[in-house]
């Protein structure tokens, strides 16, 4: 027993929203989080404070000043430190009894099975532009019947999807494998995450979006909301608490607009309306000078 720490006391205020049996089970649940920057750091924070006892965490990056607007572990004291080390220490500072396996070189197809071994839930914190890796990752999750939660910070809101072996597959929902360039795959991902695109109503400066340079704006509000949404969905998944909005159904709450949108995109990326939105998005980005999808294939591939 670590002096001054008592698991039951530390997380006792969760009781009421969680039953005693559920709280006991959380000590033994194992959650995997890949990507510990924006949303990934918030997932660590929320799930650690919920009482989850086992973690697999992965990131090969280091904290930098440009992370300060949104990332849980980013501060002057952590600049230059590995994100995986910082978030491991952060979890242990909350729950010294937590068992954490760190993948400080990130994840790849070669270590997916080790990363997912014994895992009860995967929560996706990978950078928006890490698209190719997501395809084999989610394929493997489906094969292993490990549920996965994706919550994306969209503007000043959070958009969520849940994938299980009973849902539409990640591959069939997003269609990332059909994109010829990184920018095309990024658009497929964006339109899948936010089928309503309601956040476009309050973009202050569209020049901040540059898909080729792999740069999109973010807000702390969106990232913090993602942590809360992921935590709530994790409770439902881990304890089988009734119906879940499984893919192809998505939910998007926008705090700035005060709106909650729930959409079921039948046939996923093949849905005619999704194809229309993708086409409109391409035209918009060409018009604003952000990207010419055809003319910049060579640059994108490089």
């Amino acid at each position: 027993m670590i002096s001054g720490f008592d698991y039951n006391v530390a997380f006792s205020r969760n009781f009421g929203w969680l039953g005693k049996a559920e709280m006991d089970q959380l000590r033994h649940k194992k959650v995997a989080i890949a990507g510990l920057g924006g949303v990934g750091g918030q997932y660590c924070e929320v799930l650690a404070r919920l009482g989850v006892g086992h973690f697999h965490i992965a990131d090969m990056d280091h904290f930098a000043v440009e992370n300060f607007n949104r990332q849980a572990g980013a501060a002057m004291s952590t600049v230059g430190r590995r994100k995986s080390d910082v978030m491991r220490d952060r979890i242990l500072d909350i729950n010294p009894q937590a068992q954490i396996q760190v993948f400080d070189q990130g994840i790849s197809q070669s270590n997916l099975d080790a990363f997912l071994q014994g895992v009860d839930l995967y929560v996706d914190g990978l950078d928006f532009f890490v698209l190719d890796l997501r395809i084999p990752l989610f394929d493997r999750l489906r094969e292993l019947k490990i549920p996965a939660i994706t919550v994306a910070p969209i503007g000043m809101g959070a958009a969520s999807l849940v994938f299980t072996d009973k849902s539409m597959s990640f591959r069939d929902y997003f269609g990332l494998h059909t994109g010829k360039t990184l920018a095309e795959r990024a658009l497929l991902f964006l339109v899948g995450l936010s089928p309503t695109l309601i956040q476009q109503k309050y973009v202050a400066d569209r020049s901040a979006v540059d898909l080729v340079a792999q740069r999109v704006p973010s807000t702390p509000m969106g990232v913090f909301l993602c942590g809360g949404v992921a935590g709530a969905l994790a409770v439902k998944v881990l304890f089988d608490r009734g119906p879940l909005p499984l893919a192809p159904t998505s939910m998007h709450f926008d705090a700035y607009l005060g709106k909650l949108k729930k959409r079921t995109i039948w046939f996923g990326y093949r849905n005619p309306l999704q194809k229309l939105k993708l086409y409109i998005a391409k035209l918009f980005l060409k018009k604003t000078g952000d990207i010419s999808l055809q003319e910049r294939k060579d640059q994108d591939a490089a």
Side-chain angles (χ1 to χ4, degrees):
M1 174 73 69
I2 296 179
S3 177
F5 178 81
D6 184 313
Y7 179 94
N8 292 321
V9 174
F11 307 113
S12 60
R13 292 299 180 92
N14 293 327
F15 177 62
W17 300 113
L18 298 178
K20 289 184 178 178
E22 291 175 329
M23 293 178 67
D24 288 340
Q25 291 175 49
L26 272 179
R27 303 180 75 157
H28 307 289
K29 294 293 185 183
K30 183 183 290 184
V31 177
I33 303 168
L36 303 173
V39 292
Q42 294 300 327
Y43 299 155
C44 290
E45 179 91 9
V46 169
L47 294 173
R49 293 189 184 281
L50 191 64
V52 171
H54 298 260
F55 291 86
H56 283 185
I57 59 175
D59 201 305
M60 60 190 299
D61 201 4
H62 299 73
F63 281 115
V65 175
E66 59 266 26
N67 302 147
F68 281 19
N69 81 309
R70 68 201 182 282
Q71 299 192 12
M76 289 304 299
S77 60
T78 63
V79 169
R81 290 190 61 195
R82 286 186 180 275
K83 294 181 180 180
S84 56
D85 290 343
V86 172
M87 295 316 301
R88 175 202 59 209
D89 293 349
R90 181 70 173 164
I91 294 170
L92 290 173
D93 213 18
I94 296 167
N95 178 5
Q97 297 174 356
Q99 301 295 308
I100 308 168
Q101 185 170 353
V102 175
F103 293 75
D104 60 11
Q105 297 302 309
I107 59 169
S108 63
Q109 292 194 53
S110 64
N111 69 356
L112 276 185
D113 281 352
F115 179 66
L116 297 175
Q117 185 174 10
V119 166
D120 298 296
L121 171 67
Y122 170 71
V123 190
D124 188 27
L126 290 171
D127 184 87
F128 178 87
F129 291 97
V130 180
L131 299 172
D132 289 344
L133 178 60
R134 278 185 166 98
I135 299 171
L137 168 58
F138 276 84
D139 284 350
R140 190 63 178 138
L141 286 162
R142 190 173 182 87
E143 290 169 4
L144 295 172
K145 297 185 178 181
I146 297 172
I149 295 171
T150 290
V151 191
I154 307 291
M156 300 184 202
S160 61
L161 285 151
V162 180
F163 294 93
T164 70
D165 61 313
K166 304 285 194 306
S167 73
M168 176 178 281
S169 71
F170 181 93
R171 180 183 290 265
D172 288 339
Y173 180 79
F174 284 108
L176 299 184
H177 57 289
T178 67
K180 296 182 177 64
T181 68
L182 173 62
E184 288 176 313
R185 293 192 294 278
L187 283 174
L188 282 164
F189 195 42
L190 175 61
V191 172
L193 288 171
S194 175
T196 62
L197 297 173
I198 57 175
Q199 70 279 2
Q200 291 191 57
K201 295 179 180 179
Y202 58 90
V203 176
D205 190 335
R206 297 180 186 276
S207 68
V209 180
D210 188 336
L211 298 184
V212 170
Q214 300 185 31
R215 186 180 69 246
V216 292
S218 60
T219 69
M221 297 79 78
V223 170
F224 277 60
L225 282 167
C226 286
V229 172
L233 290 173
V235 168
K236 296 197 71 174
V237 170
L238 291 173
F239 301 120
D240 193 22
R241 281 196 178 190
L244 279 162
L246 299 179
T249 297
S250 68
M251 294 192 303
H252 183 174
F253 171 67
D254 191 291
Y256 184 87
L257 297 173
K259 292 184 177 180
L260 173 65
K261 298 287 186 179
K262 188 175 181 180
R263 290 287 185 274
T264 300
I265 309 300
W266 301 112
F267 312 116
Y269 77 96
R270 298 184 181 89
N271 186 294
L273 286 177
Q274 288 298 91
K275 292 183 176 181
L276 176 61
K277 292 171 193 171
L278 185 64
Y279 175 73
I280 293 171
K282 287 180 181 180
L283 289 180
F284 171 78
L285 290 176
K286 287 181 182 180
K287 184 181 296 184
T288 58
D290 174 56
I291 184 172
S292 171
L293 294 174
Q294 297 302 318
E295 293 173 3
R296 299 180 71 174
K297 280 183 182 179
D298 291 341
Q299 177 181 344
D300 198 33

